[in-house]
Amino acid sequence: MSDTHAQTVPFVRDTMLPAAEPPIREAGAVRWLRENLFSGPVNTVLTILGVLVVWFLVSHFWDWFAHSVWNAGSLSECRQIIAERWGEGARGACWAVIRERWNQYTYGFYPSELYWRPTMAFGLLFLALAPVLFSEAPGIRRIVLGTTTVLTLGLMIALGAPAAWLVFAAVVLIGGLVISERQVSLLLVFSILYPLMGVWFLWGGSAWGPIMVLVGPVLGWIAWRVLHPVSSLVAIIAALVIPLLWWIGYAGEAARDAEGILSLSIPAVASDRFGGFLLSITIGIAGIALSLPLGIVLALARRSDMFLVKSLAVIFIEFIRGVPLIALLFVASLLLNYFLPPGTNFDIILRVIIMVTLFSAAYMAEVIRGGLAALPKGQYEAADALGLDYWKAQRLIVLPQALKISIPGIVSTFIGMFKDTTLVTFVGLYDPLKSMSDAVRASTSWKGIYWEPYIFVGFIFFLICFGMSRYSMYLERRLARDHR
């Protein structure tokens, strides 16, 4: 019995064994290398090939970067400095061209005494974006707004901004930071007003023009409030038509009359003075802000059950997607004037923004349509079961989910559109990549410089596009609701 009992009762240890070191293959850098770089034959071969490629690039280009010159007045002086330091036949990058011509790459031919205006405009842009992009992330919002405030005010001081405008920028930026700590949604009012303010800061002229543009929606809202008790359809039509009539027929005259009574003008800057990253960022931001809502409307129209609406949306999307952007830019630059009344002055940058927006909206519509198609049919049925009408169902149930699914495609479209702003060089505008580099090389001092401007401009584009990509990843993580 005792033998049987000893074999059936399990052994239970009542003391713990001392902790042992993990195997060397399962800890530290060795483990990371084994799991990430040498996990199998294929991964090992790819790792070796990657190391060889990196070694090839470093061995061939390291001396060019290592022998860089940052302080010189011309390309010939750069080459002379390199020869004196590293010997005859040595090569090196001449980044002095960026140090000497940074203003052209940044502001184009914008008047140098007014550099503070676009600097202030783009500083205020981050304040306008804060309640839209960082409403649910107070930590990131504080960092962004705090950094923006310090950099904007510091740059304005360095660029010689007038004291009155410096005080204005300080009050708006610091006040916005304080308001965002109390109730960030209040900044949405500034976000709505910023487009008109940004246009005025960049192009200058009378402030009464943007003010009279703002009067149009106010008149439309008043018409809607008055006519809504009578007929909802009539109220909607009036709310759309009255602002258009105001803008076309009366806004210009009203702005001129108001300017004659009380002048609110700042020095005007013509569109042909824009260039460099000022031009690219202006076109890119306008295109992004306008193409997303237009793309949503086109996506909904293409999925509509109404034959005419769906047909028009399909024709527009397929036509725009089938035509190169450069062709649309040529239409905006050359052919559009033939369809306008004689003497009409249609700003070239505005024409380019319209064409870039239409081009991007067509691609955006297909990205969002993919998100709409990915939603289960049960989501639409749930909206119907709740008794929601079409627009409420789209606003509360369908579009939030579809846009969340479409975030990677939407941001990819934004990035592609921003990089396509360099194509404006073909319609006579000074983009930072080609036209501005050609303008720099037109000087005898920098004639013959080639790689440095392209590398510098490409690096700045990479930083901006990488920032958009990282924000996209952050937004996906914040909106993730699966298996949590």
Side-chain angles (χ1 to χ4, degrees):
M1 291 293 293
S2 60
D3 294 340
T4 304
H5 180 73
Q7 294 175 2
T8 57
V9 175
F11 171 76
V12 179
R13 181 178 295 278
D14 58 0
T15 59
M16 294 296 294
L17 289 174
E21 293 291 333
I24 192 171
R25 290 167 53 85
E26 299 296 332
V30 175
R31 178 184 179 183
W32 186 89
L33 290 172
R34 187 174 63 81
E35 291 183 351
N36 295 278
L37 300 180
F38 302 100
S39 60
V42 176
N43 199 4
T44 301
V45 172
L46 292 176
T47 298
I48 295 173
L49 289 176
V51 170
L52 292 176
V53 170
V54 171
W55 172 252
F56 173 82
L57 294 175
V58 171
S59 62
H60 280 73
F61 298 105
W62 172 252
D63 61 334
W64 189 76
F65 285 101
H67 301 166
S68 298
V69 175
W70 289 90
N71 192 5
S74 65
L75 180 59
S76 59
E77 186 179 348
C78 266
R79 291 172 176 171
Q80 182 180 353
I81 293 173
I82 293 171
E84 292 175 355
R85 288 180 180 177
W86 308 101
E88 292 295 335
R91 61 176 187 167
C94 186
W95 300 112
V97 63
I98 306 301
R99 188 172 181 271
E100 290 287 320
R101 299 299 182 95
W102 65 269
N103 55 335
Q104 282 186 267
Y105 282 105
T106 306
Y107 300 103
F109 299 103
Y110 208 86
S112 59
E113 67 276 9
L114 299 178
Y115 282 169
W116 59 270
R117 268 174 34 188
T119 302
M120 181 178 66
F122 288 121
L124 296 178
L125 171 66
F126 285 93
L127 180 61
L129 292 177
V132 180
L133 301 183
F134 308 111
S135 60
E136 302 296 329
I140 299 176
R141 187 174 65 244
R142 291 189 197 102
I143 294 173
V144 171
L145 292 182
T147 305
T148 299
T149 301
V150 173
L151 289 179
T152 302
L153 296 179
L155 290 173
M156 289 181 66
I157 293 173
L159 295 171
W165 285 108
L166 191 60
V167 171
F168 168 80
V171 169
V172 174
L173 289 170
I174 297 174
L177 183 58
V178 174
I179 292 173
S180 69
E181 292 297 316
R182 296 178 178 273
Q183 189 174 355
V184 68
S185 59
L186 294 177
L187 288 179
L188 288 173
V189 177
F190 181 79
S191 302
I192 295 173
L193 297 177
Y194 175 78
L196 297 176
M197 295 174 58
V199 169
W200 183 52
F201 290 146
L202 291 177
W203 276 271
S206 174
W208 288 109
I211 292 173
M212 293 305 167
V213 170
L214 190 62
V215 169
V218 175
L219 295 177
W221 178 79
I222 294 174
W224 183 84
R225 292 282 294 180
V226 171
L227 297 176
H228 183 68
V230 179
S231 172
S232 298
L233 180 61
V234 174
I236 293 173
I237 294 175
L240 295 175
V241 171
I242 289 178
L244 291 176
L245 294 177
W246 168 258
W247 292 331
I248 294 173
Y250 303 99
E253 280 187 39
R256 285 189 290 271
D257 294 341
E259 178 66 20
I261 298 173
L262 177 63
S263 179
L264 295 176
S265 63
I266 56 178
V269 179
S271 292
D272 58 3
R273 306 297 297 275
F274 283 60
F277 286 104
L278 171 61
L279 177 65
S280 290
I281 294 176
T282 300
I283 296 174
I285 290 174
I288 288 172
L290 297 173
S291 64
L292 180 58
L294 183 56
I296 294 173
V297 172
L298 288 171
L300 295 176
R302 184 157 189 172
R303 289 176 58 87
S304 174
D305 294 330
M306 293 184 284
F307 175 77
L308 181 60
V309 172
K310 181 176 181 178
S311 300
L312 292 175
V314 169
I315 292 171
F316 175 83
I317 292 172
E318 297 302 329
F319 172 76
I320 294 296
R321 292 174 67 200
V323 176
L325 176 59
I326 189 64
L328 297 177
L329 293 177
F330 277 125
V331 169
S333 175
L334 302 174
L335 299 181
L336 197 60
N337 287 333
Y338 292 104
F339 300 96
L340 297 175
T344 301
N345 183 18
F346 199 173
D347 188 86
I348 181 61
I349 294 182
L350 178 59
R351 284 182 275 170
V352 168
I353 288 175
I354 291 174
M355 287 303 177
V356 168
T357 299
L358 295 178
F359 185 82
S360 180
Y363 286 88
M364 190 71 64
E366 290 300 283
V367 171
I368 296 172
R369 187 171 69 93
L372 293 170
L375 285 183
K377 187 178 180 181
Q379 298 296 315
Y380 297 91
E381 295 173 348
D384 294 337
L386 292 172
L388 301 178
D389 59 26
Y390 176 80
W391 293 109
K392 286 184 178 179
Q394 295 296 331
R395 180 170 60 89
L396 300 175
I397 295 179
V398 177
L399 279 179
Q401 299 181 74
L403 292 176
K404 184 185 73 171
I405 296 171
S406 306
I407 286 174
I410 290 173
V411 176
S412 295
T413 304
F414 287 162
I415 291 174
M417 183 197 65
F418 179 66
K419 292 188 295 184
D420 285 343
T421 57
T422 56
L423 295 176
V424 299
T425 184
F426 295 105
V427 294
L429 295 176
Y430 283 87
D431 76 296
L433 185 64
K434 184 181 185 300
S435 297
M436 198 53 63
S437 297
D438 290 344
V440 170
R441 280 192 291 267
S443 169
T444 56
S445 299
W446 300 108
K447 190 174 182 63
I449 196 141
Y450 189 77
W451 287 107
E452 291 85 344
Y454 290 144
I455 293 175
F456 169 73
V457 173
F459 178 70
I460 299 300
F461 268 101
F462 168 77
L463 288 181
I464 296 174
C465 295
F466 183 72
M468 287 192 281
S469 175
R470 297 303 297 179
Y471 179 79
S472 168
M473 297 172 64
Y474 154 77
L475 195 60
E476 288 182 65
R477 290 194 301 269
R478 186 168 71 82
L479 297 178
R481 295 293 183 270
D482 301 331
H483 309 294
R484 297 209 307 178

